Amino acid sequence: MTLTDELLAELGDSGLEQVAGMLGTDPATARIVTQAVAGTIIGGMARDAEHLDGADALLSALDDHKDTDPFNGDVASLTRDGHNILGHVFGGQGTERAAAGLSQLAAVNPGAMMKLLPLVAPMIMSLLADRAAGRHLDARALADELDHERSTLPAKLGDLVTTLLDGIFGGTPAQRTSPYDTAALTRGRRSAGSREITPGTATPDW
């Protein structure tokens, strides 16, 4: 079962109905949009993890999300955590670009997508944290896992997500260089709003 499958199973029909209400659409469309949102977040993490520093930092950040239950969490707390996660994965402008691109999928308001993205992000982190712990993944294995996950989206959704991520991160893996300054790498978790993040670059200092 993929992370997206796990997400949809945890949300269930009632969760998708809530997503549909948030987006102003029907549950069937909400399911597709949720798949795309999850795929975009997972794909962004995979892009970050292409560099070992990014994979290592993400693996460390997952420790804070083990054994959590974001599916029954407080919406305000989830949203705060979600914005922090999205800030590290995409940067502020990158998150806005992701929301704008995803909103076109179902002709929904980008503002509604900006509400959905930070709710889904902690759910993905929690599911990924449990998987990493259960399978004893190291940084390289985590990167491979994320790369596999992003390849499991249905073809059309996969193409949309890839195009969206290329617009945020730029180019292909061979064309991108590591954005890390390993000498400056810190392990302390910092708020994404406390520093400048270059849109579309991976961030090693969760």
Side-chain angles (χ1 to χ4, degrees):
M1 183 179 285
T2 68
L3 288 173
T4 302
D5 290 337
E6 291 182 42
L7 171 69
L8 293 171
E10 289 285 351
L11 286 173
D13 291 340
S14 61
L16 288 175
E17 287 174 3
Q18 292 179 45
V19 172
M22 182 186 301
L23 299 178
T25 187
D26 59 273
T29 301
R31 182 183 182 87
I32 296 171
V33 172
T34 301
Q35 281 183 293
V37 168
T40 300
I41 294 170
I42 292 167
M45 290 177 176
R47 294 287 178 102
D48 284 344
E50 286 171 359
H51 305 289
L52 185 58
D53 289 340
D56 192 49
L58 174 57
L59 186 63
S60 296
L62 291 176
D63 286 340
D64 290 340
H65 292 82
K66 284 191 296 188
D67 302 318
T68 59
D69 186 10
F71 298 93
N72 293 297
D74 172 72
V75 171
S77 298
L78 279 180
T79 300
R80 284 194 299 272
D81 188 27
H83 278 300
N84 187 47
I85 293 166
L86 294 170
H88 285 294
V89 175
F90 299 117
Q93 291 183 27
T95 300
E96 291 176 2
R97 291 179 69 176
L102 288 165
S103 68
Q104 296 177 16
L105 176 64
V108 300
N109 190 296
M113 197 63 69
M114 280 294 289
K115 293 180 180 178
L116 180 60
L117 274 163
L119 292 178
V120 173
M123 297 175 184
I124 294 295
M125 282 288 282
S126 176
L127 293 171
L128 184 59
D130 290 345
R131 179 174 295 189
R135 298 183 182 180
H136 306 289
L137 301 180
D138 60 14
R140 290 189 183 279
L142 177 64
D144 289 342
E145 186 76 13
L146 287 167
D147 191 53
H148 170 72
E149 283 287 332
R150 68 176 170 181
S151 71
T152 60
L153 277 177
K156 288 184 179 179
L157 275 182
D159 290 345
L160 180 146
V161 168
T162 297
T163 300
L164 182 56
L165 290 174
D166 282 348
I168 294 172
F169 287 83
T172 63
Q175 294 171 325
R176 293 193 293 273
T177 57
S178 173
Y180 304 118
D181 174 4
T182 3
L185 182 64
T186 60
R187 283 294 173 208
R189 175 182 287 268
R190 292 183 289 171
S191 165
S194 68
R195 59 192 168 82
E196 291 296 322
I197 302 175
T198 303
T201 61
T203 52
D205 51 343
W206 289 69

